Amino acid sequence: MSDPITGSRVARQELTAKATSRADGCTVLSSPSVGLWRGAPEVGAVVVPGQSLGELETLGVITLLRAPATAIGLVVDAHGAREGRARRAVQHGDALLVLDPSSAASA
């Protein structure tokens, strides 16, 4: 990516979501920072390690959000994403997605 004014290269910032395993075997992906989250995968989509989970906008800076290395599974809950809103305000540690690894094999 390059800056349209100077023509110089601009590094795009990236963050990795935090993964927590639940007792039922599902994985909860949480926000690593505050911001406005957009571009979430839809319920029923398969998530794999390193995949884009959308973007976080904080103070006008867009940061790409990636799935952690331990994240794999079918999105079974998107915690309010895509409910008629272009963006969802999130805090550090807010649940973003719930993945079911056992359903990913059948998808």
Side-chain angles (χ1 to χ4, degrees):
M1 172 192 281
S2 65
D3 184 315
I5 296 172
T6 64
S8 63
R9 291 189 160 245
V10 177
R12 182 151 188 200
Q13 295 181 351
E14 292 187 7
L15 287 173
T16 302
K18 299 188 184 297
T20 307
S21 295
R22 295 191 322 197
D24 63 0
C26 288
T27 302
V28 178
L29 299 183
S30 303
S31 178
S33 181
V34 299
L36 296 172
W37 179 43
R38 61 182 174 211
E42 295 184 19
V43 171
V46 175
V47 172
V48 296
Q51 177 179 331
S52 172
L53 300 177
E55 299 171 326
L56 279 178
E57 178 182 345
T58 306
L59 298 172
V61 176
I62 305 294
T63 304
L64 185 63
L65 185 60
R66 296 239 179 240
T70 57
I72 188 163
L74 190 72
V75 177
V76 293
D77 190 354
H79 289 279
R82 300 191 180 269
E83 289 181 352
R85 295 177 284 178
R87 302 175 291 187
R88 181 182 138 216
V90 295
Q91 299 293 321
H92 185 282
D94 281 356
L96 302 174
L97 302 170
V98 177
L99 307 179
D100 183 355
S102 63
S103 297
S106 62

